Every structure is written in C-alpha cells, then in structure tokens.
Amino acid sequence: MGMPMTELQLHPMDVYNICLFLRRHNEQQGPRSIRFQLTPNQPVKLLFEPWNQVLECKRSPFHGAQETEIRLWGRRRLLTLERLIPLTSHFTVRLLGTGLPSFFIAHMGDMSFTLGLSGWTANDWSRMGNFDLMAPRENVDELTQRRVFAALQERWYESSESLSQRLQLERSIVESSLSLYTQAGRVIYDLSKNVYRVRELSREPLPMSRLRFDNEREALADNFIRADLVTIGDVDYRDGHLRIAGEVLDNAVSYKPVIVLDSDQRLIEAQCSCHFYVHNKLYKGPCEHMLAIRRQHAESQTIASTTTSVTMRHGQQ
C-alpha cells in the first residue's frame, strides 16, 4: 500500500445519508458510479450517476491540498457499513484513483472495520491489477532486507517512517524491503493503523529469489536494461514531482514512455505508446517500458551517487 491515496473523513450521518440515498434509488441502467468531488476546505460532494444528483456532506470538509474528482464503482457494497453507523465515531475514506480500489475504515473506539472495494466487479485487482508495481520498487540487497525484517520483528508492528528513522535508511528502501516480505507471505499491511505487521502465512518461508519479479512486465523491463536498450532523455524536477522521459527499443520498435514520480518515488502519472498502455492505461499497472526507464534512472542515480562519494573520499585523502 505504498501508493499515493486521497484521504478524507466522513461523519457517520453523512455515511447514513449515502446509504439512505442508495436504499431509495434503484438504477435500471448505468453508469452506476459515485463521483467524489473534492475541493480543499469545502464539504465533500458526491454525485450519484445516472441521476446526476449531488449529495453534499456538510459535516465532512475535505482537507486535501488540491481539487480533484474521483469516480468510484461498486457503491451498493457501501450498504455493508450501514449497521456500523451507530457505533462509529468517524469514517476514514482512502481513494487510490478513478477505477482503482478504495477503502472505507469505520473507527469504533478500540476496534475498527475496513471495507475494501475493487474498481470494477470484473477488475480482479488482487490478481491482475499489479498495483504494487506502482509503489516504490528499489533494488535492495538481501542483507538490508533481512535487517529491515529483523527490526520489524523486534516490535511486531511499525510504520515504514518509524523504521526508516530507527534504521537510518531511506523510506523507499524500507518500503521496498517490506513489499518483498509481503509478497513472501511474512508481512501484512494494516491500513487502519498505517503500520506493517509480522504475520507468517506459511510454516516454510516462500523463496525470495523467485519473488524478484512479481510480473512478466518487470522481467521484460529487466531484460531491456541488461541488453542496453533503455535510454534516459529529459529529466525535470518541479513542484516536488520528478518527470522522466526515455526511450526503450523493443523488438526494433522505439517506444518513448514518460513517467512522473512524487517525492516518495511513487508513480502518479505515466504515458506510453505501446499496446498495453493504450488498451489498459494504468488500470492494470505500468507497462514494461515505464518500468524500464524508472529502473534505469534509479540505477544511474545510484552509480552517480557512488562515484561522487568515492571522489570526495579521495579528495579528502
């Protein structure tokens, strides 16, 4: 869950009004979505399609930094929260983006309940979405991975930020390490508390070496880099976002992907001319060409940093 999310709070009465609207309206045709219309310091507004009726959540202002609109499907499943309303102090809503998974967390004192919704019913994001490829994915050596996991075992649960400070490691390195252990079935992410927890799902740990590539596109990206088929073009850092343009030669065809990373090295925007992106956009994760320029840029930065460090040491001597 290292991906960027839009977070907002909903008052229990506003959730009650959402459920009431869904109870009173039964759509006969699509679209069957809710549009979250979010303006900083203004009440959250929900537009229900296909009626285009707006529900204003007057008790729930949006405290985000920028105006945005996110479209959510699977709204009937929100009725699951109906019975929890009398017991809940407030609801936390986390939205990954239009058509992407969303999470509703009911806070009930010492207990919480998390409802996760996929983008579309036909979009099996847990198996096919590969959204973890959009989270920080750095090359981390095995010794560092073990160090991060051992530190987590000491306290059983901890946030990546706390682990980063305690181990004096970059947060992206900690999150990349924990992501691998999550895939190996040894760590879970607690969305309600924003912490990672140690939880072994099998008696024998899954082989980490076989989990290096979570997806075929990652393996293809690695092949492009090894074959020296990736070229980094314009790199622009502006407003806390890093924009990387590059070129990837794939079967004698030149593709020119562009990606935008936030300050936590998470993919927030991207485009490419390949068939995979044109057909799926980012709903099934980034294409192999985006992954290739991302890794190529990261590796070039690591080499540059190492060279500078060695030069400075020689200069001091």
Side-chain angles (χ1 to χ4, degrees):
M1 296 304 301
M3 293 175 59
M5 291 184 281
T6 299
E7 181 175 317
L8 57 103
Q9 306 288 331
L10 287 179
H11 190 278
M13 282 304 299
D14 290 323
V15 175
Y16 170 80
N17 290 331
I18 293 172
C19 294
L20 181 62
F21 185 95
L22 294 174
R23 291 287 186 192
R24 290 182 172 179
H25 295 77
N26 186 17
E27 66 279 357
Q28 300 299 322
Q29 59 183 12
R32 300 175 175 87
S33 70
I34 299 176
R35 293 180 182 266
F36 280 75
Q37 299 175 337
L38 308 174
T39 303
N41 302 317
Q42 296 295 321
V44 173
K45 293 183 179 180
L46 307 178
L47 187 147
F48 291 82
E49 296 179 312
W51 311 282
N52 292 330
Q53 293 191 28
V54 176
L55 173 64
E56 184 175 7
C57 302
K58 296 182 179 180
R59 304 172 185 83
S60 308
F62 175 60
H63 299 294
Q66 60 184 9
E67 184 174 349
T68 186
E69 180 177 281
I70 298 176
R71 199 175 180 189
L72 170 68
W73 280 266
R75 62 192 182 195
R76 288 285 167 188
R77 286 169 283 175
L78 293 178
L79 293 173
T80 305
L81 303 174
E82 200 169 26
R83 293 186 178 183
L84 302 178
I85 293 174
L87 307 174
T88 303
S89 61
H90 66 283
F91 291 85
T92 297
V93 182
R94 291 178 179 166
L95 307 170
L96 289 175
T98 295
L100 300 181
S102 57
F103 301 90
F104 291 74
I105 305 169
H107 299 276
M108 300 172 285
D110 295 332
M111 184 170 55
S112 65
F113 174 84
T114 301
L115 174 66
L117 306 180
S118 59
W120 296 285
T121 303
N123 185 16
D124 184 1
W125 59 273
S126 63
R127 178 173 62 86
M128 297 170 56
N130 302 297
F131 298 113
D132 59 307
L133 300 183
M134 300 166 72
R137 301 283 290 189
E138 294 197 9
N139 288 325
V140 184
D141 60 86
E142 187 174 350
L143 183 62
T144 302
Q145 294 174 25
R146 291 180 178 178
R147 183 185 170 200
V148 172
F149 183 65
L152 183 63
Q153 284 181 308
E154 292 174 2
R155 299 183 179 179
W156 288 99
Y157 66 90
E158 194 168 356
S159 68
S160 58
E161 183 178 1
S162 175
L163 273 169
S164 173
Q165 295 174 355
R166 188 154 64 92
L167 298 176
Q168 297 296 303
L169 292 172
E170 293 290 336
R171 185 171 176 178
S172 59
I173 292 177
V174 171
E175 290 182 345
S176 296
S177 300
L178 293 174
S179 176
L180 290 171
Y181 278 99
T182 300
Q183 295 172 25
R186 307 187 68 184
V187 171
I188 62 170
Y189 184 75
D190 185 341
L191 187 66
S192 64
K193 302 294 184 182
N194 289 322
V195 296
Y196 289 87
R197 297 182 182 273
V198 175
R199 190 182 74 171
E200 304 278 0
L201 297 182
S202 60
R203 180 175 299 177
E204 297 296 330
L206 300 176
M208 297 290 282
S209 59
R210 295 177 60 183
L211 297 170
R212 182 185 177 192
F213 301 120
D214 182 70
N215 180 274
E216 181 183 358
R217 298 192 299 280
E218 266 197 306
L220 288 172
D222 186 71
N223 290 337
F224 294 146
I225 294 173
R226 291 177 180 273
D228 198 23
L229 300 174
V230 183
T231 303
I232 300 299
D234 295 332
V235 178
D236 182 30
Y237 187 80
R238 185 180 305 172
D239 298 329
H241 293 165
L242 179 65
R243 182 181 182 274
I244 305 171
E247 181 179 6
V248 180
L249 195 62
D250 182 358
N251 289 328
V253 179
S254 175
Y255 296 98
K256 298 182 178 180
V258 176
I259 62 174
V260 179
L261 307 177
D262 67 6
S263 57
D264 290 323
Q265 294 296 300
R266 298 175 300 190
L267 182 66
I268 56 175
E269 294 180 24
Q271 62 183 32
C272 186
S273 57
C274 68
H275 173 76
F276 182 87
Y277 174 76
V278 172
H279 185 71
N280 300 300
K281 301 302 181 185
L282 288 176
Y283 295 140
K284 291 189 177 181
C287 68
E288 57 268 30
H289 311 110
M290 298 173 188
L291 293 171
I293 65 169
R294 176 176 182 169
R295 272 197 51 195
Q296 182 70 29
H297 177 264
E299 291 181 5
S300 64
Q301 291 294 104
T302 301
I303 294 173
S305 177
T306 303
T307 303
T308 301
S309 178
V310 171
T311 303
M312 289 180 63
R313 288 201 299 269
H314 281 295
Q316 291 174 353
Q317 293 176 356

